Every structure is written in C-alpha cells, then in structure tokens.
Amino acid sequence: MSLARALVKDSKILILDEATASVDYETDRKIQDTITTEFRDRTILCIARTSSSSLCLCHGDDSLTAKPIIDRLRTIISYDRVCVMDDGNIAEFDAPDVLHPQNGIFRAMCEHSSIALEDIHRARKERGVRVSETS
C-alpha cells in the first residue's frame, strides 16, 4: 500500500524498512522489479536485517538501500551500492560487482545464495547499470 501511495504522490525519497520480509520470493521479485522500474529516479533506503550482519544496497542516484535477506539476495544484486554492516559497523561498501571478488561478507552471502559474479553482471546489464571497471 505504501509503494502505491509513493507512486501516486511522486515521492522523491522512499524508506522501506523490512518491506518484503513477510512475502514469498516471487512476490519479492515483483516488488523489486516495480522498485527498479517505477522508482528509478528516486532515492531509496531499504532496510533489512539478518542475525549476524546487515546488507545495505543502494539503488538510484546516490541512494542508500539496505536489503540483506540472504535467500533473497538475487533480487537486489543489480543495485548501485552495497553497504554490509557487521556488529553495527560498516564492514564493506561498494558496487556489488566490486565487492564480490573481495572474499568478504558480501561474497559469502552470494555464495550461500549461489550467486556468481557473472550473475551480478547480468542483473546489472538487464537493469541498464554499467558494470564497474574494477570488476
């Protein structure tokens, strides 16, 4: 309901706290697709938590987004930036295709979800996001 309201009101900033925590993977995917297309020019802050660390993903122009549900990681690997929080501190922050090769927390989350660097490249290309030069 709040996403629909944000669309109608043309909100420039969206804050989504555990927005898809209680939906199945397919519904999550549809919501993420809607966010990607309909809120492309907005700043989005999505927040989600895991038991040991948090993953923050940026989507849109210099926006900060957090989305760490490991099983749903595939839905957000095309986002602009990833900020992995560990024990309340920023552990990693960069584009997903830059973080993946670094063998850190983000990489471990990707491996747990069977996500390879090629999957990240493909997702970013499908969304029209340029692959980082360092990846």
Side-chain angles (χ1 to χ4, degrees), residues 4 17 22 42 84 87 101 115 118 134:
D17 189 359
S22 59
R42 322 284 171 85
V84 180
D87 199 24
I115 296 172
E118 295 76 24
T134 57

Side-chain angles (χ1 to χ4, degrees), residues 17-67:
D17 189 359
E18 299 283 352
T20 59
S22 59
V23 299
D24 61 273
Y25 178 81
E26 187 58 34
T27 303
D28 181 76
R29 180 78 217 142
K30 289 176 183 176
I31 292 169
Q32 293 301 328
D33 287 346
T34 299
I35 289 170
T36 298
T37 57
E38 300 301 325
F39 298 102
R40 172 171 244 118
D41 59 342
R42 322 284 171 85
T43 297
I44 303 171
L45 172 61
C46 294
I47 302 166
R49 298 155 187 89
T50 63
S51 57
S52 60
S53 56
S54 294
L55 178 65
C56 305
L57 294 151
C58 302
H59 176 60
D61 298 330
D62 297 323
S63 59
L64 181 62
T65 311
K67 180 93 175 122

